[in-house]
Amino acid sequence: MSSNQPIVSGLPRIPNRSLAEEVIYRVEEAIRASVFKPGERLPSEPVLAGQLGVSRNTLREAVNTLVDKGVLYRMRGIGTFVSGPSEFMLESNLERVVGTSQLIRSKGHVPGQRDFHLIVEPATESLAKKLQIELGQDMLRISRIRTADNIPVIVSEECIPTELLQGVALPYAAEGCENWSIYEYLAEAGYPIDMALTRIRSLVADRNLALLLEIKTNQSLLCLEQTHFSNNYRKPVLYCVNYHNDRIVDIEVIRRG
C-alpha cells in the first residue's frame, strides 16, 4: 500500500490538547454559550473541577491562563469572575489633573486602599532634587495599594515636604481608613493641586509588584512618575510614583496641534 496518499483538504485536524488546554476550551465555550455570563462568578474550584472531571491542579492551571488572557479576573477573598462589560477599565487622560479616588468614583466604582504606611524621613539626594528641598530635609513618605471595588489597581509611593504641613496633623489616622485622598489632604493644608508634570514609562512587574497587584511576574505595567504643583507654593508640593496594572487602567494622552 502506497504511503503517498493524497491529503484530504477541508478537514480540520483533531486537536491534541493537554487536559488544562481542554479545560480552557470548555470554559471559553461555556462563556460564548452564555453558560457563564460577564460579571458572573464561577463555581468554586472543587465544584468546577468535579463538573469537568479534572483535578484541582489542572483546573487551577487553566484558570490562571484564562486570568492572564483577561477572560477571567479574580477578586481576593471573593472568587473568580467572567470578564466583560461588568469588569471595568479605568480610562483616564492626562489633560486634567484628577486624583485616583475621583477617577475611580467617576467610573462608577468604589475607591479603596490597602497596606497604608507612612513615615517621616530625611530626603535622599534624588528625592530632595525632585521636591526641590535640601538634602536630608524631612519629608512625609506614604506607600499604599489603591483599589477599585477591592481589586488592586495601583501601587503608589508619595512624598510631601513636611514644611507644607504645619497647619494640619500628619495623616496617621489614614492607616485605618478604607480610602484616603492625598489631593484632599493637600487642599486642606492650603495647597490644592493645580498642575502635574508626568513622565510615563513602560515596565514589567517584578516579584514584589506582582504580589501587591495580584498579577503574574513580568506582566506589563505603566509607571507614572509625577511632580505636582500648587499655585499657592513656588516649589513642588507632591512627588509620587504610581505603578498601574495596565489591564485595568488605560491612559490616553491628548495632543493638540
Side-chain angles (χ1 to χ4, degrees):
M1 181 176 178
S2 172
S3 60
N4 297 321
Q5 296 190 17
I7 298 174
V8 180
S9 62
L11 293 178
R13 295 187 62 177
I14 297 172
N16 182 21
R17 287 192 284 256
S18 68
L19 271 179
E21 290 170 332
E22 184 64 29
V23 170
I24 291 168
Y25 173 78
R26 296 286 183 88
V27 172
E28 290 181 326
E29 280 293 296
I31 293 170
R32 281 190 285 271
S34 295
V35 175
F36 300 136
K37 298 178 176 63
E40 183 176 308
R41 185 171 63 180
L42 293 184
S44 67
E45 190 177 89
V47 170
L48 190 55
Q51 290 176 347
L52 292 167
V54 298
S55 70
R56 292 176 65 176
N57 284 341
T58 296
L59 177 68
R60 195 172 298 125
E61 179 185 346
V63 168
N64 286 341
T65 299
L66 289 167
V67 168
D68 288 343
K69 291 172 64 176
V71 176
L72 304 175
Y73 67 99
R74 289 191 177 96
M75 293 184 68
R76 187 168 66 177
I78 300 176
T80 303
F81 294 77
V82 179
S83 302
S86 295
E87 189 194 10
F88 56 84
M89 173 62 77
L90 298 176
E91 297 174 343
S92 176
N93 64 62
L94 299 183
E95 184 179 23
R96 295 177 58 243
V97 181
V98 177
T100 301
S101 297
Q102 183 181 347
L103 168 64
I104 293 171
R105 287 194 190 99
S106 73
K107 303 301 180 181
H109 305 287
V110 179
Q113 64 183 18
R114 297 179 189 164
D115 301 337
F116 183 102
H117 300 289
L118 67 82
I119 186 172
V120 175
E121 62 183 12
T124 62
E125 182 176 356
S126 173
L127 289 172
K129 184 177 180 179
K130 298 289 186 185
L131 293 169
Q132 298 177 25
I133 59 179
E134 296 295 326
L135 174 65
Q137 184 175 327
D138 279 349
M139 65 175 195
L140 176 65
R141 186 180 191 129
I142 295 170
S143 61
R144 52 182 170 154
I145 302 169
R146 309 303 300 273
T147 65
D149 296 346
N150 292 318
I151 298 174
V153 293
I154 301 171
V155 173
S156 181
E157 295 283 342
E158 301 155 319
C159 299
I160 305 172
T162 55
E163 65 184 15
L164 302 180
L165 308 177
Q166 303 305 314
V168 295
L170 294 181
Y172 289 105
E175 291 181 289
C177 291
E178 292 184 358
N179 188 51
W180 179 80
S181 170
I182 199 165
Y183 279 21
E184 292 175 6
Y185 178 67
L186 282 165
E188 180 188 349
Y191 305 101
I193 301 296
D194 294 298
M195 184 182 73
L197 176 63
T198 303
R199 179 187 180 197
I200 306 175
R201 291 184 291 131
S202 176
L203 47 81
V204 296
D206 59 17
R207 187 173 181 275
N208 182 56
L209 286 171
L211 182 66
L212 295 175
L213 288 169
E214 298 178 8
I215 59 176
K216 291 286 187 180
T217 303
N218 293 326
Q219 179 179 314
S220 62
L221 299 176
L222 282 180
C223 175
L224 267 65
E225 181 184 358
Q226 301 191 87
T227 306
H228 297 74
F229 298 86
S230 171
N231 290 338
N232 296 339
Y233 196 65
R234 69 187 187 281
K235 297 188 293 186
V237 297
L238 169 66
Y239 171 74
C240 64
V241 179
N242 293 331
Y243 300 94
H244 296 68
N245 179 347
D246 65 1
R247 298 189 181 181
I248 295 178
V249 182
D250 182 39
I251 297 173
E252 64 180 9
V253 179
I254 296 176
R255 305 175 69 192
R256 304 187 187 277

